[in-house]
Amino acid sequence: MTHSLTPRDKGNLPALGAPPLIRLDAYVAEDGSTVVNGHLLDMGGTRPPNETILDAIAMFARTLGAPVAATVIDRTAQQVARLRVHPDGSSRTIGEDEDLPPGRERTAAEEEAFPPLARVERIIQHAQREELHAAFVLASALREHLTLRRGAEDELSLEARAIEAYLAYLRGDHMLSTVLALTVARIRCRTDLNRAAPDVARATAAWQRLWDEGQVATRGQELLHMWERLSAAGLLQEASHHAMAQAVRSRLAQGGRSVPQGSAPAAAALPAGPGQASSPAAPEDKPLKPTRRGLRRFTRRAGRSPGQSS
């Protein structure tokens, strides 16, 4: 089930006059699903995602009576676009040199207006209703924007990626779940080895469902290295973690044959509090093209009716 974005819902509005300027965020998934400020939008049949996004942001601008800034991550085009949308419905894309400079104050203000943990609660609600596609798209949007804003190694970015990995697991996309969970485990092993074992366990749980022999071998070798590193540091303190490490060794020794479906259930990802410094994107993240001026799909002249772009 999708949710139409209603700008007069005060819970969806940025704080009026909050310094510095708070931007909205939007996300277009590879399948065209569209999210604005943590809400999955009803596309109204066959409407293009860019038109849906422009209409939603223009409604915010009209409600606020002022131009609205927006950052759009569009995975269909592998681009990030930065926009200014005005109350009259007109919009233009801007270059990075025209955008507001990043900073902790702005990030804190934006996240106070649109709290990440409130978005996590919405994701969990979708998952509990078994609306796994909606939950997964919202989790992907949250992870993408947190990573863009804070960096891949930030605590909130990591937890959003872990939630995304778990939802991919629930959907049966074990390859994607493994890639996402391995990225979390890899970062955790590099930045906080003492906390890495549960993340390596989650990655192992997804990896155990893989059937492709090449992926089993490649990903399994990385998992084995992680388990051995944790063991050498004396950080394998739970019997289940010892069992999972041994399961990886055994499967690799047997040539990557699949393990029984009932073994090693995935551990649920839980949100955590804000982290600290940012870093470059994780290796598996598909790179986004730099922002360019003049992206026609996000440009609209004044007086154009909703759904009409320049």
Side-chain angles (χ1 to χ4, degrees):
M1 180 184 299
T2 58
H3 293 272
S4 296
L5 192 67
T6 305
R8 297 192 184 280
D9 178 352
K10 300 304 181 183
N12 291 338
L13 287 174
L16 289 170
L21 176 63
I22 297 170
R23 74 190 62 250
L24 281 65
D25 59 74
Y27 173 74
V28 183
E30 291 181 350
D31 68 355
S33 299
T34 303
V35 178
V36 174
N37 289 338
H39 292 265
L40 187 63
L41 300 190
D42 185 347
M43 299 282 287
T46 58
R47 298 191 62 224
N50 61 306
E51 293 182 1
T52 303
I53 287 171
L54 284 175
D55 289 347
I57 297 173
M59 290 172 70
F60 275 100
R62 285 194 294 274
T63 300
L64 296 174
V68 171
T71 298
V72 183
I73 294 176
D74 187 347
R75 278 296 172 189
T76 63
Q78 299 298 313
Q79 279 187 326
V80 55
R82 292 173 171 83
L83 315 179
R84 289 288 183 272
V85 182
H86 297 266
D88 63 5
S90 63
S91 65
R92 69 184 183 97
T93 56
I94 59 175
E96 290 191 46
D97 57 327
E98 295 180 85
D99 199 10
L100 294 171
R104 292 183 180 179
E105 182 184 0
R106 195 187 77 193
T107 295
E110 290 172 351
E111 292 181 359
E112 182 179 359
F114 305 110
L117 294 186
R119 300 189 187 197
V120 170
E121 291 176 0
R122 191 175 302 120
I123 292 166
I124 292 171
Q125 290 169 1
H126 280 288
Q128 289 173 338
R129 294 194 296 264
E130 297 187 356
E131 298 164 358
L132 296 181
H133 174 262
F136 178 77
V137 171
L138 292 176
S140 298
L142 178 61
R143 187 262 303 172
E144 290 262 18
H145 277 286
L146 286 174
T147 299
L148 183 66
R149 186 183 299 155
R150 290 170 162 262
E153 292 183 6
D154 175 81
E155 189 66 27
L156 282 178
S157 301
L158 278 178
E159 293 299 336
R161 194 185 297 267
I163 292 169
E164 187 183 13
Y166 184 57
L167 289 167
Y169 181 92
L170 292 179
R171 297 179 74 199
D173 192 341
H174 299 133
M175 184 67 252
L176 179 58
S177 180
T178 300
V179 169
L180 290 165
L182 261 176
T183 300
V184 175
R186 187 182 305 119
I187 292 172
R188 190 75 78 190
C189 284
R190 183 170 67 248
T191 62
D192 191 354
L193 190 63
N194 290 326
R195 298 175 58 196
D199 294 303
V200 179
R202 293 183 181 109
T204 301
W207 171 84
Q208 287 180 308
R209 303 297 185 264
L210 297 183
W211 291 90
D212 182 273
E213 292 183 2
Q215 290 292 334
V216 168
T218 301
R219 307 291 181 177
Q221 288 294 336
E222 184 173 10
L223 282 169
L224 185 58
H225 174 73
M226 291 179 182
W227 284 123
E228 289 177 345
R229 185 178 173 194
L230 287 166
S231 179
L235 296 173
L236 291 188
Q237 300 175 0
E238 295 187 19
S240 62
H241 292 166
H242 283 281
M244 295 185 94
Q246 184 56 45
V248 173
R249 293 188 193 94
S250 299
R251 189 178 183 189
L252 291 175
Q254 294 169 11
R257 288 194 294 273
S258 180
V259 298
Q261 285 290 321
S263 64
L270 297 176
Q276 299 179 11
S278 62
S279 72
E284 282 88 352
D285 289 339
K286 297 177 184 178
L288 294 164
K289 297 176 184 177
T291 300
R292 297 185 293 112
R293 293 188 182 87
L295 298 177
R296 290 183 59 83
R297 66 187 186 280
F298 289 118
T299 302
R300 181 183 289 170
R301 294 194 300 269
R304 304 285 284 189
S305 62
Q308 290 184 303
S309 299
S310 297

